[in-house]
Amino acid sequence: MAASTRGASLALQVFLYLTCTWWYLFWILLPTHSGKAWLNTITSHTKWKFLGARGSVIFFQTLPICIIALLTYIVLELRKRSLRTQSGASEKPKVNVWTLPILLKSPLGMLTLADVVFIFVNLFVVVFYFTKSMVDKREIDEMIMFPGIPPKWALKLEAAAKHFGISAVIPFSLLWFPVSRGSPILRLTGVPFERAAKYHIWLGTLTLWLLAMHGTSYIVFFSFGLHQPKILLHWYPHDVAVLPGWIALGAGLLMFVTALERVRRKSFDIFFIVHHLYLVFLVFFVFHVAVVHFYVAPVLLFFLDRFFRMVQSRRKVDVLSARILPSGAMELKFAKPSSLNYYSLSFLYVLFPSVSRFEWHPFSVASSPMDDTNQISIYIKPLGGYTKNLHSVLLNSNKSKEAGTLVCPFSFKLALEGPYGDESSFYLKYKSLVLVAGGIGITPFLAILRDILHRHRRKQQDVPCNIQLIYCVRNPKEMSILDTLNLHELCPNYADSLNIVFHPFVTSKIKPQNYDADGRVEINSASYEDFSYVHMNEPVIEVLGKPVSEAEPMSVVHATGQSRWVASTVFATMIGFFVLWGIFSVTVMDDSFPNYGIALLFLACVFLAVVVFGGGVMFLWSMSIKSLYKRHNKVILKASLPSSPAIEMTANAQATGSDTQGASPWLGNITLGRRPDWKDMFEQIAKQYAGQNVGVLVSGGSKMAEDVARECKQHSLAKNSNVVLHFHSVSFEL
């Protein structure tokens, strides 16, 4: 049964990838003579006035994406129902060429083969379409010139300007997928968040460069070729509307400038606010071209995802507890319904209304779905202005407590979106894991460790049995986050089946504690247990909110929720759009109907399809959940926090089962004042795990990821190597 399920899933995935090729095929055929003839034949047999577009456009551009979006949910369900594939421990070491880092340093950052293929395919299709479309310049050279006709150079420039604009539709149609957080395309391919954000940046940049060339070429043509610059500000009702194009381009360039890495990292607030100009960009882009079927499916899926997020985030979730660790990192716990599924590598978008009503930030979950408690925890490090403000709010609540005035931090309410992220738990297929973390990047590894410990406690087979944790921090107090994970509590006899080796590093200079008889430094390392007690023995500020049995949990109506409901919502939205568009095409739109009217009707159809048709299914989904909970007469099945609703501050971390104070469950020597010697460490790892596929997961800065990727590539591709280090980046940096 499991084999047949996996076979069906694989067959469907192959079909979906072929369907994706089908979408690209349109742009290969369009500029060629034979391709045009074939597309015209398809159009002649599919003249659908009801849909108001050329049949070939719908057949090659709209239909493939609709098919992929709907069938993806079947694939996702088949994946869940099939048994996990055999552990990588019993397989011979084999390099995964798709995830192997190919280029470690490039203008686009570190690139895998999958990244290179993505870039090549999209650039090839754009360049192929543009160059093949420009063959008509030969006809211009052979033209007989008459008075009043622009010079030949101007006609060639106009042709180039036109095709620059059409070429931009290719990346423009695709850039909506990577930023749809619950996109079925991303879930199908398993593209991590960090890479999806890169793809969006690359596609957006390509789109804007093409549109900039499109606009600049027309400026030159109308100003110096046709000598009618006033045309650049016209808004023709039955032709291309020029003025909206300039507005769209201006909005796009403003987004591009504020999204540059230097600006984005310095002023995230500005980037976040300005990027909402995508609405202006889209609206005036549609006014400019009034041709919609090329990108209607991606736009529908994007706005449906946005609507899912809006519906889910309207529910204000109660914070069960908030703690500030000695490092300053904040731990937040909140309730979730028992029917909401997430994974160890999931992440959530969080909004704290009292800190900001508009800024959403992603945070990895630190809890495991196998914890058997209906709550999720996240850790937040006060680094930027947003997180520092949150830290101040918690500290102010502590001062209010000491002054005898209780003030609930951020009203103990927050808005949540998600969970999103990897759904495959790919780390389970490796017998041996190397987890490399920097600072707060340890968060996803806390979830992974919890998950693996639970599986060992339940005596599950084919789970990792060797783990090396390399943890680098600048400040010794940052290590305190590790003591929130009690290995013995999760699996009392874990050492019988699981070997965990801990390599902690404090990279900043620490005043030595031990000297020899001559007053020289005796050691550059110390026992983690002793070091933890000396440097982290500080009180933990804790604020308790509502008891878990009374708390408002997250909403389960979201884009990565139950597949049958999400698929039904997607189907209803698409059917709703095409029905509405068809009705308007037959009853309203004729040859005399203005372009701005077509654009307005398109925007109206998108809005009604998402809100009325898609929202209708979401309403039924919500009603079914309420009915189920009413029948069972409870929302949360288990509680692990105190039932008192009072707000308390405590220095006793044992109130929440933490071992931040007292003996640490972690064993190992902490290295002081230097960074890891990656070359030496990975040489030892390669020898220790010879003959294995080893999963190497990195969560930290780009420099750390680059260093680790270099070692993984070197050892995996080395001549006569009998070990493969599979590199995986699980961090996300916007």
Side-chain angles (χ1 to χ4, degrees):
M1 181 64 181
S4 61
T5 303
R6 285 196 296 270
S9 175
L10 180 61
L12 267 178
Q13 290 179 67
V14 172
F15 174 75
L16 292 179
Y17 286 119
L18 291 175
T19 305
C20 180
T21 306
W22 173 11
W23 185 90
Y24 280 105
L25 184 62
F26 175 83
W27 296 101
I28 301 296
L29 294 172
L30 188 59
T32 63
H33 292 296
S34 57
K36 284 181 181 177
W38 190 51
L39 293 175
N40 288 334
T41 302
I42 295 175
T43 300
S44 65
H45 290 86
T46 54
K47 290 183 178 179
W48 302 327
K49 179 173 175 57
F50 183 77
L51 295 178
R54 293 182 58 186
S56 59
V57 176
I58 295 177
F59 186 73
F60 277 95
Q61 293 292 280
T62 308
L63 188 59
I65 294 177
C66 294
I67 291 173
I68 292 172
L70 292 171
L71 292 185
T72 291
Y73 295 104
I74 299 177
V75 174
L76 294 174
E77 281 302 303
L78 290 174
R79 284 179 181 175
K80 291 177 183 178
R81 295 180 184 182
S82 63
L83 295 176
R84 186 163 45 84
T85 56
Q86 189 178 16
S87 171
S90 60
E91 298 176 359
K92 292 182 179 180
K94 183 178 179 181
V95 175
N96 185 339
V97 295
W98 293 107
T99 59
L100 181 72
I102 300 298
L103 298 175
L104 299 177
K105 285 187 177 181
S106 75
L108 300 178
M110 184 169 59
L111 301 177
T112 65
L113 180 60
D115 299 331
V116 173
V117 170
F118 177 86
I119 294 170
F120 173 79
V121 168
N122 287 284
L123 281 179
F124 172 79
V125 173
V126 169
V127 172
F128 180 88
Y129 171 80
F130 180 80
T131 54
K132 283 292 184 179
S133 298
M134 287 301 294
V135 295
D136 53 4
K137 66 181 180 181
R138 299 172 187 171
E139 300 175 2
I140 296 174
D141 289 331
E142 298 172 357
M143 286 179 58
I144 300 175
M145 306 304 293
F146 294 98
I149 297 179
K152 290 183 179 180
W153 69 264
L155 294 176
K156 292 179 182 178
L157 184 62
E158 183 193 19
K162 172 186 174 183
H163 294 301
F164 274 129
I166 297 175
S167 300
V169 174
I170 301 172
F172 175 76
S173 300
L174 296 173
L175 64 82
W176 303 94
F177 293 121
V179 287
S180 299
R181 296 173 187 168
S183 167
I185 311 298
L186 294 184
R187 297 179 69 191
L188 172 69
T189 57
V191 174
F193 175 84
E194 187 177 25
R195 278 173 55 198
K198 285 183 179 180
Y199 292 172
H200 174 71
I201 293 171
W202 298 342
L203 291 168
T205 302
L206 179 58
T207 301
L208 285 173
W209 272 108
L210 291 170
L211 291 179
M213 294 299 296
H214 170 70
T216 303
S217 300
Y218 269 121
I219 289 176
V220 176
F221 171 74
F222 285 118
S223 299
F224 303 102
L226 206 59
H227 300 290
Q228 297 183 31
K230 291 183 179 180
I231 293 178
L232 294 171
L233 298 178
H234 282 187
W235 190 324
Y236 296 103
H238 298 289
D239 202 348
V240 175
V242 184
L243 181 59
W246 295 119
I247 298 174
L249 181 58
L253 291 175
L254 192 57
M255 286 191 291
F256 173 77
V257 171
T258 56
L260 293 173
E261 185 173 2
R262 183 174 297 181
V263 179
R264 186 177 70 246
R265 293 196 182 280
K266 257 190 177 180
S267 306
F268 185 85
D269 297 357
I270 295 175
F271 155 75
F272 182 83
I273 294 171
V274 172
H275 229 65
H276 282 80
L277 287 176
Y278 77 87
L279 289 169
V280 175
F281 179 84
L282 174 64
V283 168
F284 284 94
F285 184 89
V286 175
F287 276 123
H288 178 59
V289 297
V291 179
V292 300
H293 283 82
F294 289 98
Y295 48 84
V296 59
V299 168
L300 270 178
L301 290 173
F302 172 80
F303 279 103
L304 180 60
D305 181 77
R306 293 285 303 186
F307 191 61
F308 262 121
R309 289 160 51 188
M310 187 191 78
V311 169
Q312 186 185 26
S313 62
R314 286 189 64 190
R315 176 181 291 185
K316 296 301 178 282
V317 180
D318 287 309
V319 176
L320 300 175
S321 72
R323 295 194 298 162
I324 299 181
L325 303 180
S327 64
M330 297 163 283
E331 178 198 64
L332 300 180
K333 292 184 179 180
F334 38 85
K336 80 169 190 70
S338 56
S339 58
L340 187 141
N341 296 320
Y342 71 102
Y343 301 86
S344 296
L345 285 175
S346 294
F347 63 91
L348 299 160
Y349 272 83
V350 185
L351 172 74
F352 299 95
S354 63
V355 177
S356 172
R357 293 191 175 275
F358 304 104
E359 276 193 59
W360 291 82
H361 287 259
F363 298 103
S364 296
V365 302
S367 51
S368 165
M370 301 188 74
D371 282 340
D372 289 336
T373 58
N374 286 327
Q375 55 182 299
I376 297 179
S377 62
I378 60 174
Y379 288 96
I380 303 171
K381 186 177 180 179
L383 294 173
Y386 181 87
T387 50
K388 286 181 179 178
N389 289 340
L390 176 61
H391 188 265
S392 298
V393 168
L394 280 176
L395 288 179
N396 289 337
S397 67
N398 184 29
K399 294 177 182 177
S400 299
K401 168 64 177 179
E402 293 173 353
T405 306
L406 292 179
V407 178
C408 294
F410 40 86
S411 301
F412 257 54
K413 295 278 188 180
L414 49 78
L416 296 170
E417 293 177 1
Y420 306 109
D422 179 81
E423 301 177 25
S424 66
S425 298
F426 63 85
Y427 55 87
L428 293 175
K429 68 181 179 181
Y430 300 111
K431 177 182 178 181
S432 302
L433 288 174
V434 178
L435 309 179
V436 184
I440 199 64
I442 192 68
T443 303
F445 296 155
L446 295 179
I448 288 177
L449 288 167
R450 297 181 73 91
D451 185 60
I452 293 174
L453 286 164
H454 281 305
R455 294 176 187 275
H456 276 275
R457 180 171 55 82
R458 299 180 185 185
K459 308 296 183 182
Q460 290 189 8
Q461 301 298 314
D462 292 334
V463 294
C465 57
N466 297 299
I467 298 177
Q468 295 211 26
L469 175 61
I470 305 172
Y471 187 30
C472 305
V473 298
R474 292 181 182 177
N475 187 326
K477 293 181 181 179
E478 293 182 61
M479 290 278 181
S480 62
I481 194 173
L482 286 173
D483 294 331
T484 62
L485 177 63
N486 191 324
L487 308 179
H488 299 286
E489 184 181 273
L490 292 173
C491 184
N493 300 316
Y494 76 89
D496 295 340
S497 57
L498 177 61
N499 178 38
I500 299 179
V501 181
F502 183 35
H503 304 282
F505 289 82
V506 175
T507 59
S508 61
K509 297 296 182 182
I510 305 296
K511 185 177 180 180
Q513 300 292 323
N514 299 307
Y515 299 86
D516 61 16
D518 298 325
R520 293 173 299 185
V521 177
E522 184 177 329
I523 56 173
N524 65 349
S525 64
S527 167
Y528 178 77
E529 299 92 322
D530 298 335
F531 187 85
S532 173
Y533 182 79
V534 171
H535 290 275
M536 306 172 205
N537 190 26
E538 295 184 9
V540 174
I541 299 176
E542 181 180 10
V543 183
L544 300 182
K546 287 184 179 180
V548 69
S549 57
E550 300 175 9
E552 184 70 28
M554 297 174 60
S555 170
V556 299
V557 179
H558 63 106
T560 58
Q562 298 179 38
S563 294
R564 65 178 185 275
W565 280 108
V566 180
S568 299
T569 307
V570 172
F571 181 75
T573 300
M574 291 181 171
I575 292 297
F577 174 84
F578 289 115
V579 167
L580 292 171
W581 186 255
I583 292 173
F584 287 133
S585 296
V586 173
T587 60
V588 178
M589 289 184 282
D590 54 25
D591 294 338
S592 62
F593 197 69
N595 282 348
Y596 61 81
I598 296 175
L600 288 173
L601 287 179
F602 168 74
L603 297 171
C605 288
V606 170
F607 177 81
L608 293 173
V610 170
V611 175
V612 177
F613 288 82
V617 177
M618 291 184 201
F619 176 77
L620 295 176
W621 184 3
S622 179
M623 289 298 100
S624 71
I625 293 170
K626 288 182 180 180
S627 175
L628 177 65
Y629 286 159
K630 186 176 181 180
R631 192 160 59 248
H632 288 277
N633 196 29
K634 57 184 173 181
V635 177
I636 303 296
L637 298 178
K638 292 188 178 181
S640 64
L641 292 177
S643 59
S644 171
I647 298 177
E648 300 175 1
M649 302 295 171
T650 178
N652 183 5
Q654 292 180 352
T656 54
S658 171
D659 288 322
T660 303
Q661 318 243 284
S664 170
W666 295 90
L667 301 176
N669 287 330
I670 186 166
T671 303
L672 306 174
R674 68 177 181 87
R675 300 177 184 276
D677 183 341
W678 299 113
K679 183 178 179 62
D680 180 64
M681 292 194 74
F682 276 91
E683 282 182 356
Q684 295 181 31
I685 289 171
K687 292 177 182 178
Q688 184 175 353
Y689 301 127
Q692 294 186 30
N693 290 293
V694 180
V696 180
L697 282 65
V698 181
S699 178
S702 56
K703 181 64 169 61
M704 172 185 284
E706 182 183 308
D707 291 340
V708 174
R710 179 182 294 107
E711 296 302 322
C712 291
K713 179 181 178 181
Q714 179 179 337
H715 287 283
S716 298
L717 299 181
K719 190 176 181 180
N720 300 323
S721 173
N722 63 344
V723 65
V724 174
L725 305 178
H726 296 269
F727 176 84
H728 301 274
S729 175
V730 298
S731 60
F732 45 86
E733 294 183 339
L734 291 177

